[in-house]
Amino acid sequence: MVATAERSQEDAVARIGALFDTHHPRLYRLARRLAGSTEDARDLVQETFLRAARSPSSVPEGTSHEEAWLVRVLVNICRDRWRQIAVRRHHDPSISYPTSSGHPESALIAKSMVWQALEGLPPRRRAILVLYELEGKTIPAIARLLDVSAVTVRWHLSVGRREMVTVLESGGRS
Amino acid sequence: MKAVNDLLREADPLNEDPGLSDVEVRVMRRAVVEAANERQAAGFFAYQPLAVGAVLVLMIAAGITTGRHLPSSRNSVSRPSSAPTVAEERRQLQFATPGGTRIIWTFDPEFHP
C-alpha cells in the first residue's frame, strides 16, 4: 500500500515536470503579452505551474486539454491581480495598472502606448485580443481554450479593438 | 491610423524578448517540482493519522461487539464457587478466567480415594 502510494506520488511529480517542459514556452509567450514586464510574466508562469503542482488531479489529461487548463489559470491569475489593483486604485487613484517600462525613443514610446492601451483592457478581453491578433488563433479555438462561447469571444474582440482605438486616439490617456 | 492588429504586432514585446533563459527555466522547474513533491508528501502523511484513527475505532468496535457476545465474568473472577445440584447430588466447582473462559468441574459422588 505504501509502495503504491509512493509510486503514484512519483507519477504525479513526474507529470508536473513533463507538464512544465511541454507548456512553459507557450505559456511564457502568452504571459509576456498579457503582463506589463518580463518579471510579471515570469511570476505569472510560475504561479500557473505552482497551482498545477498543488492540485495535479485537477489538470485534465491530453496536451490540448492541459494547455487550455493552463491558459485559463493564467488568465484567471491576471484577472485576480487586475481586480486587486482595481480595488486599491479605487481607494488610491494614484495607483496605476502595471505597464511596460517607459522608453526614451519616440518609436518606443509609440510602442509603449499601444501596449499600455492593451494593458488597460480587462484581462480576459486582453487575452482574447492577444490570442486572436498575435497568436493567430481562430475564434472557435479561443472559445474552447477559455471555455467561453464564440459569441463572447467575438464581442470581446470587437469591444477590445474599439477601446484600444479610443485610448490610442486620446494619446494613451486611459 | 493603422489597424489594431498591425499596431499590436509592431508593439509586441516578444519582438525584443529573448524568452526565458535556461537558468530561469531550470530554477522555475525546480520550484514547481518541489512544490509538487511537498504537496504529494503532505497528502500522503495527511492520510496516516486518519488510517490510525480508523484502525483504533475498528478495534474498539470489535472489542465491544465481542464483549457483548461473551458471558459476563464479573461474578466469578477467579473465585471458586461450589454449586451442588441437589437433584443429581453432584458437586460442581465453577470458575471463570479473566478472559471469559468458564471452567466447570463436576465431582463424581461415587469416587472414593
Side-chain angles (χ1 to χ4, degrees), chain B residues 1 4 15 18 20 29 32 36 43 45 51 53 56 58 71 81 84 87 90-91 94 97 99 102-103 110 112:
Chain B
M1 192 176 174
V4 168
N15 293 339
L20 294 170
R29 191 185 195 282
V32 169
F45 287 114
L56 275 175
L58 276 175
S81 66
R90 282 186 178 178
R91 292 184 69 202
Q94 296 183 16
T97 64
R102 180 166 288 199
I103 298 169
E110 292 173 15
H112 298 286

Side-chain angles (χ1 to χ4, degrees), chain B residues 56-102:
Chain B
L56 275 175
V57 168
L58 276 175
M59 285 172 69
I60 291 166
I64 290 169
T65 311
T66 312
R68 281 186 181 163
H69 285 91
L70 285 175
S72 171
S73 58
R74 213 179 302 154
N75 298 328
S76 54
V77 179
S78 301
R79 195 191 311 142
S81 66
S82 56
T85 52
V86 181
E88 296 175 7
E89 291 189 17
R90 282 186 178 178
R91 292 184 69 202
Q92 285 185 339
L93 181 64
Q94 296 183 16
F95 58 93
T97 64
T101 308
R102 180 166 288 199

Side-chain angles (χ1 to χ4, degrees), chain A residues 2 5 9 12-13 16-18 20-21 24 28-29 32-33 38 42 45-46 49-50 53-54 56 111 114-115 118 133-134 161 164-165 168-169, chain B residues 1 4-5 7-20 24-29 31-33 35-37 39-41 44 48 51:
Chain A
V2 173
Q9 181 187 343
V13 173
I16 291 299
F20 181 85
D21 294 339
H24 82 263
Y28 177 76
R29 284 198 300 276
R32 184 63 192 90
R33 284 164 167 163
T38 313
R42 265 202 305 263
V45 174
Q46 180 154 332
F49 282 110
L50 284 175
R54 286 183 206 122
K111 280 185 186 179
V114 172
W115 221 251
L118 183 73
E133 304 288 13
L134 293 174
R161 283 179 188 138
M164 278 202 69
V165 169
L168 290 171
E169 281 178 350
Chain B
M1 192 176 174
V4 168
N5 62 346
L7 289 170
L8 282 173
R9 267 179 232 287
E10 283 174 16
D12 189 354
L14 283 184
N15 293 339
E16 290 149 20
D17 191 319
L20 294 170
E24 285 171 330
V25 169
R26 268 203 303 276
V27 169
M28 202 184 284
R29 191 185 195 282
V32 169
V33 170
N37 246 327
R39 195 259 166 212
Q40 292 297 313
F44 175 66
Q48 282 202 331

